[in-house]
Amino acid sequence: MRSDSNDAVSPWIRWPGRARLSLLLWGAGALIGLGAAGIALFTAKGTATNSVPPEYIATVNQRPLFVSDYIYQLQTELNVSPEQATSEQRRRVLDEMIREELFVQRGLELDEPEIDPDVRNALVAAVQAQVTVEATSQLPTESELTAFYQQHLDRYSSIGYLTLADLVPVTATPGAPVGDSLARAATALRDGQPLALVETQFHLKESGQVSGEQVYFAAKLHLGDRLFAIASALTSGQVSDAAPGDDGRLHLLYMLSNNPPRPRNFTLARNEVYNDYRLELQRRITDSEFKYLRDKADIRLNPAYRP
Amino acid sequence: MKRRLILALLAAVACLYAARAIYHRHLETRLLQSWPDAAAQDPQLLRFAAAVAVPAMAEHCASCHGADLRGDPRRGSPNLIDKEWIHGEGGVADIEQTINYGIRSGDHRGRDLADMPGFELPVPYRRYQIASLQPADIHDLVEFVLQLNHREPIDPAAAAHGASLYTTALCYDCHNGNAAGDPSIGAPSLRPHAWLYGDGSRETLTDIIAYGRRGVCPGWSGRLKPVTIRAIAVYLHDRSGPS
């Protein structure tokens, strides 16, 4: 009788309490592990899942459409905030995004980048823009910027400006060479005679090529290289000797005020320095990207067309 | 008995961590699934956004905008908590767009509709043709801007000429007829509480008009998680409020 009753008791119940607890913990651990693996498997990127993560407005063939892009499109296309948009507007933008994604996916299936030059150009531009983004987010230190500024000091000079009287004879004085008349006018100006008086006395007039205050580049454009080289070397109040201009006439240059280009201080030029630094960085990143891709690529040239 | 106690404690800690992670994920989902401005009205989401945003901003934004987010006029990095929004109206979605795609960042979705031309340069503007200005004209424009800001002393005749130049040199086209700026294209107000660049001195204003400015902010889409970007937008909106 006793042995019968022992046989009737389940082996599980006959296990000691400690062993039972171990088994329970093992079992629980295995179940938790399986659950975690399942969750990871079905929520990992690139894995088919029925749920749409909260940062996506939708997925199309498992490709995500971001909420941020949806909000951006609502704002730029319809000029409404997401809260203000009607359900019709929301549906319209969502439909457009889905349509675009489907066509992009189809385009890739049809290998459009291989055959359509516009797609190829867009891809090149997109990759280069990506490089730009990289360069923008790499913030230089102040010492790097200062060093760049010092290396390219000529870029960060002020635009010089000058006020100049460019004198030419009204008509050639009878019996006197033009050069003599201009030389005497120059002496008179150097002696401190007023400009108007000298103009009257020596039959001179302003050429009209420069008038009032001029920035350096404009003065250079109007005077021509030869006269500008003479003018820019004059300090305020100085008078040149008579010199031929590009128009074939003799000119006398009287510098009323000369403010040549000067380096702008770093604080004022900082924004330009940073933008130039970034452009330089973009160039370097683009070049190294190209070099990396080229090194990695298997490029074989047709001997018949080898340059 | 002792071992059971340790096991129970470990299990309790694990449960707490799991519960915390689940709650965190729940708040992330709520923050992302709320409409941007609605999220900024929810006290619980505001607290959560601050908890996410503050360390992220310390890591990614403070180097330009400062640890206190008050910007740095020497660099032209704007104050983010002063209610003056240069790009957009200061709504959560506006801020989020700027953080996502940046300003003149190279991302075509970024804010890049206008720059400040350099009116003394041979080619003042890269976007379309406008004429250079003479130094005397720039001087008069500076006087006009100083007059707008009630700065003394001002040359009234020069300021009056500057006012007419404000129209003819197309300044109004970006900065608006009343000089209040245009946040839709990122043109700052010329009657600011704080200057974006420099201290509003004659020297700085002359340099800005003569050589232009072109501030840049990187886009963070793809670098920061969407929830972090939303949290920063909500947090900044809360700190500053719309302009």
Side-chain angles (χ1 to χ4, degrees), chain A residues 162 210 214-224 228:
Chain A
L162 50 81
V210 287
Q214 294 267 312
V215 290
Y216 257 50
F217 71 84
K220 187 175 182 179
L221 203 68
H222 295 140
L223 290 171
F228 178 75

Side-chain angles (χ1 to χ4, degrees), chain B residues 211-223:
Chain B
Y211 301 102
R213 290 292 185 270
R214 192 168 186 275
V216 170
C217 176
W220 294 97
S221 175
R223 288 181 170 69

Side-chain angles (χ1 to χ4, degrees), chain A residues 164-170 178 182 185-186 189 194-196 198-200 202-210 223 227 239-243 247 249-255:
Chain A
L164 178 77
D166 172 24
L167 303 172
V168 290
V170 176
V178 172
L182 288 173
L189 285 169
L195 176 61
V198 172
E199 282 181 351
T200 313
F202 297 97
H203 304 286
L204 303 177
K205 64 172 183 179
E206 301 229 13
S207 71
Q209 289 178 328
V210 287
L223 290 171
L227 287 180
V239 184
S240 73
D241 294 328
D247 56 3
R249 292 185 294 177
L250 279 176
H251 292 247
L252 186 68
L253 304 174
Y254 176 31
M255 183 61 73

Side-chain angles (χ1 to χ4, degrees), chain A residues 117-131:
Chain A
D118 288 342
V119 176
R120 294 174 70 85
N121 288 339
L123 275 174
V124 171
V127 172
Q128 285 177 342
Q130 187 60 35
V131 169

